Every structure is written in structure tokens, then in C-alpha cells.
Amino acid sequence: MTEQQSHRFERGTDGPKVIVAGVDGSDSSMRAAAYAAGLARRQGALLALVYVQPVLAAGAALGAPVADTTEEIAEDLVAQVRDAMERIKGVFDVRWEFHTFRGDPYNGLVKAADDLKADAVVVGVSEQAGHRFIGSVAVRLVKAGRWPVTVVP
């Protein structure tokens, strides 16, 4: 056995085994989820859809049922995903899970990717104009350099 053959450690197999896709209900995040589902199907990977519930300061949330609203968004996202998966059932089979993390989108996705042992992260391009100047979640994930990141337009 050569030296190269004795050091053949691979995590998983040739492709990713866990693909994390960030979803928030925006068009770009739903396109990212669809793209990630295709990757997961072709690789036989687990698709982990992640919604990060925003946490607002107590003063900012006065009078607004923020927790209820973000729970409703999460429930709506799960319903949309279930509906989409039901439509492709029998044609394409994708193993998927839905996870909710709390925090800001960047730190929530980092925690999700770490906790779920992600091999790849897929996010939609930011739809907020200000992110061109202060940096989007996608750019920050790429700069973190911890996983391959795919940004879907």
C-alpha cells in the first residue's frame, strides 16, 4: 500500500451529505431552496432548510407580537415546503428537514451549519438594497470560508 492509499480519509463520500439552505419566504430564498433540493437529490444528501427567526431588542418589540409573527412565518414556510415536496413525490425523492434557529440571519445560519454538520450552504441573493454597501449574509458566509457557499439569484 502506498502512502497516498493509507491516507484516504473522506468525510462522507464524493459530494455533500448535508446541504443547508436558508429560507425566509423571499423569492430568492425559495429559489435557493429549490436549487439546494436539486443538489440534495443528485447527491443523495439531506436537505436541511433553515429559517432564522429574528430576535428584536425588547424596546423595538413593544406592542408588536414579534414572536407570534415569526412563528407564523416558520409554519407557512413548512407548509410551502411540504406542498412542494408532495408535488414531486414519486418523481424526485429528497430527504429534508426543517429547522428554526433564533438570531440574526448570518449568525443563525452559521450556528445551523455548524450544528447540522453542513457540507455546503445555499442562500438566495439579498433583496435589500442597503446590503450592497454593508455586506449581505451571503457575502459574510463566503468570507467565513468554512463551507462551500452557493448564492442563488
Side-chain angles (χ1 to χ4, degrees):
M1 185 181 303
T2 68
E3 188 175 324
Q4 273 186 320
Q5 289 174 327
S6 65
H7 297 290
R8 294 188 333 183
F9 171 78
E10 286 187 19
R11 182 175 178 198
T13 59
D14 291 331
K17 286 297 159 199
V18 177
I19 299 171
V20 166
V23 293
D24 62 7
S26 66
D27 288 344
S28 66
S29 80
M30 298 313 271
R31 285 190 297 271
Y35 183 86
L39 287 176
R41 180 187 59 80
R42 287 186 296 280
Q43 294 291 333
L46 172 66
L47 173 61
L49 298 164
V50 174
Y51 169 61
V52 180
Q53 289 183 316
V55 177
L56 299 179
L62 285 177
V66 175
D68 291 344
T69 302
T70 58
E71 284 295 327
E72 288 173 20
I73 292 170
E75 289 170 14
D76 183 53
L77 288 170
V78 170
Q80 288 180 49
V81 170
R82 279 199 180 111
D83 183 51
M85 292 301 181
E86 196 59 38
R87 285 193 307 256
I88 65 170
K89 195 174 189 175
V91 178
F92 300 113
D93 288 320
V94 178
R95 292 180 306 124
W96 65 279
E97 300 174 348
F98 186 86
H99 298 271
T100 302
F101 286 78
R102 295 181 65 80
D104 66 275
Y106 171 75
N107 287 311
L109 285 171
V110 167
K111 179 164 178 33
D114 283 346
D115 288 0
L116 300 169
K117 296 179 177 35
D119 297 301
V121 178
V122 180
V123 292
V125 69
S126 175
E127 295 182 355
Q128 296 181 2
H131 284 178
R132 285 186 223 133
F133 303 107
I134 60 172
S136 67
V137 171
V139 169
R140 292 173 66 194
L141 288 168
V142 169
K143 286 182 177 180
R146 293 167 61 180
W147 324 267
V149 177
T150 302
V151 183
V152 177

